[in-house]
């Protein structure tokens, strides 16, 4: 009888010790975070900068490149990249303008960027809203300067 008691105690101890391991193996991985809402503004600013350069509006290109840089800095600050030994250095792919770019396309792109930034404002925290509001106002002033 003594042998059976010791064996059942071992079985109970083994079951108790392995229960957390079983739970850990069956827990689903956490969901990836949603994309940053400013990432689309970064993409648009880079595209506008390339379009402005192609049209010959160098001041607009410079301003939109600055918008992209500031917005990207905020995106990076909010979700810093975790360096990996196997990861290649990340860079932003160059944006090419559409074939035969026109000034009208640039005006339309700036109007779309201003509207996009304005629509995003109410959903942002205060510190991000200031940045996005400045980008929207910057697009409006660039539009005025182009007229």
């Amino acid at each position: 009888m003594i042998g059976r008691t010791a064996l059942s105690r071992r079985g109970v101890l083994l079951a108790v010790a392995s229960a957390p391991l079983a739970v850990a193996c069956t827990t689903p991985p956490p969901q990836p975070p949603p994309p940053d809402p400013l990432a689309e503004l970064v993409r648009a600013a880079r595209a506008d900068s390339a379009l402005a350069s192609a049209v010959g509006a160098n001041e607009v290109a410079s301003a939109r490149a600055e918008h992209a840089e500031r917005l990207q800095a905020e995106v990076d600050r909010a979700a810093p990249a975790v360096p990996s030994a196997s990861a290649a250095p990340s860079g932003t792919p160059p944006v090419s303008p559409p074939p035969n770019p026109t000034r009208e396309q640039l005006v339309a792109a700036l109007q779309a960027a201003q509207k996009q930034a304005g629509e995003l404002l109410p959903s942002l925290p205060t510190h991000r809203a200031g940045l996005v509001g400045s980008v929207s106002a910057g697009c409006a002033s660039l539009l005025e300067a182009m007229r």
Side-chain angles (χ1 to χ4, degrees):
M1 279 234 161
I2 294 176
R4 285 188 182 172
T5 307
L7 182 60
S8 65
R9 285 183 189 162
R10 282 188 210 139
V12 169
L13 288 174
L14 181 61
V16 169
S18 63
L21 182 60
V23 170
C25 291
T26 60
T27 303
Q31 293 292 329
D36 193 307
L38 301 187
E40 185 58 30
L41 294 177
V42 173
R43 188 209 56 77
R46 287 187 180 130
D48 293 352
S49 179
L51 177 60
S53 291
V55 171
N58 295 331
E59 299 296 324
V60 175
S62 176
R64 289 301 279 155
E66 181 71 20
H67 291 169
E69 184 179 320
R70 300 294 180 185
L71 289 164
Q72 186 64 55
E74 172 57 21
V75 169
D76 293 344
R77 184 207 60 79
V82 178
S84 170
S86 63
S90 64
T92 55
V95 179
S96 59
N100 303 319
T102 64
R103 192 172 176 90
E104 290 76 25
Q105 288 174 321
L106 180 56
V107 167
L110 289 171
Q111 289 170 335
Q114 180 186 6
K115 181 180 178 193
Q116 181 183 24
E119 289 174 349
L120 188 58
L121 278 172
S123 66
L124 296 173
T126 307
H127 67 282
R128 289 184 132 199
L131 173 64
V132 174
S134 295
V135 169
S136 180
C139 290
S141 65
L142 291 171
L143 283 166
E144 286 299 314
M146 289 185 64
R147 292 182 186 184

